[in-house]
């Protein structure tokens, strides 16, 4: 199966600090991949590069057939990205966010029905006319995931989507991941919550200090034995 996301020799440096240290990544269509590791492992930086938000220092990146280094705007058009923090307009309501996204994404007739459905599923329909500045952390997380998935992107990138989110929001996020995967999208989830990573994704990549230290079926990191293996990968 051809790769929807492909990175080769990916390196990102901030002055003397190397956040991503020259690894390769291949994600085919219909794949769900978890990037797991401790804070500072390079998870968020990797997703920023794949989203076309941050240029790599070295290496090549292809997203949905587009060179994300040379054509970041075109790559961003194919991606739905939920950043780890921020991403919402404080003085705008959820409905205004969706209206803006529908316009910028040139979504055709019928976007309102999808918007209402997602707002309902993420338990945000009742607050769709409230500005997001007053949202709790969990509500903001749910809204960011909703926006990322709204236009049914070819690549969905979710950075810490479960952080501070209640069980209803977690289940809504899991449903969106399953649905987009079924339509052919590739989904990457960055999280420090190993149990939820295993539930959300079929494959897992463990990052440590900007490097890939293991890649395996996510099920191999499940349970007590999987958690023990994960801890050893982070400390060995």
């Amino acid at each position: 199966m051809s790769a929807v996301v492909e990175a080769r020799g990916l390196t990102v440096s901030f002055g003397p600090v190397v956040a991503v240290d020259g690894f390769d990544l291949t994600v085919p269509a219909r794949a769900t991949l978890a990037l797991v590791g401790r804070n500072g492992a390079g998870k968020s930086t990797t997703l920023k590069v794949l989203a076309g938000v941050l240029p790599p220092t070295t290496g090549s990146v292809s997203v949905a057939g587009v060179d994300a280094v040379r054509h970041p705007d075109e790559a961003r058009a194919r991606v739905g990205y939920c950043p780890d923090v921020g991403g919402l307009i404080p003085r705008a309501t959820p409905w205004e966010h969706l209206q803006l996204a529908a316009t910028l994404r040139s979504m055709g007739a019928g976007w309102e029905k999808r918007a209402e459905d997602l707002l309902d599923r993420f338990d945000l329909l009742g607050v769709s006319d409230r500005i997001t500045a007053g949202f709790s952390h969990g509500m903001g997380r749910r809204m960011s995931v909703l926006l990322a998935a709204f236009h049914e992107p070819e690549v969905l990138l979710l950075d810490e989507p479960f952080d501070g989110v209640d069980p209803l929001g977690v289940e809504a996020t899991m449903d969106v991941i399953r649905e987009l995967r079924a339509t052919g999208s590739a989904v990457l989830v960055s999280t420090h919550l190993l149990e939820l990573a295993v539930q959300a994704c079929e494959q897992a990549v463990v990052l440590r200090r900007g490097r890939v230290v293991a890649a395996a079926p996510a099920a191999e990191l499940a349970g007590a034995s999987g958690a023990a293996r994960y801890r050893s990968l982070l400390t060995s």
Side-chain angles (χ1 to χ4, degrees), residues 96-107 111 150:
E96 288 169 340
H97 278 86
L98 291 162
Q99 284 180 313
L100 178 61
T103 300
L104 295 176
R105 299 283 186 180
S106 300
M107 296 175 67
W111 69 264
F150 179 43

Side-chain angles (χ1 to χ4, degrees), residues 11-12 23 37 41 56 60 70 92 95 106 110 115 119 131 148 159 170 175 188 200 235:
T11 300
V12 181
F23 65 75
S60 62
R70 300 176 65 181
W95 192 255
S106 300
L119 286 167
I131 62 171
D159 196 354
V170 169
D175 284 343
L188 286 83
T235 58

Side-chain angles (χ1 to χ4, degrees), residues 17-182:
V17 178
V18 179
V20 177
D21 196 4
F23 65 75
D24 300 339
L25 187 67
T26 301
V27 186
R30 300 181 184 275
T32 50
L33 177 72
L35 297 178
V36 294
R38 300 175 68 181
N39 292 338
K43 305 185 302 297
S44 294
T45 301
T46 298
L47 288 194
K48 285 183 172 69
V49 172
L50 298 180
V53 174
L54 178 71
T57 304
T58 61
S60 62
V61 180
S62 173
V63 178
V66 176
D67 186 327
V69 179
R70 300 176 65 181
H71 306 290
D73 289 343
E74 192 174 345
R76 282 194 290 268
R78 289 162 166 76
V79 167
Y81 174 50
C82 166
D84 58 338
V85 292
L88 299 179
I89 304 168
R91 302 301 298 177
T93 68
W95 192 255
E96 288 169 340
H97 278 86
L98 291 162
Q99 284 180 313
L100 178 61
T103 300
L104 295 176
R105 299 283 186 180
S106 300
M107 296 175 67
W111 69 264
E112 294 94 340
K113 178 65 175 65
R114 176 162 174 77
E116 290 177 355
D117 175 64
L118 286 172
L119 286 167
D120 185 43
R121 290 163 62 184
F122 280 87
D123 197 25
L124 293 169
L125 188 59
V127 294
S128 61
D129 60 348
R130 282 177 46 188
I131 62 171
T132 60
F135 280 12
S136 68
H137 176 72
M139 292 169 68
R141 287 282 78 203
R142 283 184 272 142
M143 187 64 208
S144 292
V145 172
L146 188 163
L147 277 174
F150 179 43
H151 61 293
E152 300 176 282
E154 296 174 68
V155 178
L156 180 64
L157 306 173
L158 302 178
D159 196 354
E160 298 293 355
F162 307 117
D163 183 39
V165 175
D166 60 26
L168 179 64
V170 169
E171 186 54 38
T173 299
M174 296 288 189
D175 284 343
V176 162
I177 291 171
R178 287 190 288 265
E179 289 171 5
L180 285 182
R181 177 178 180 268

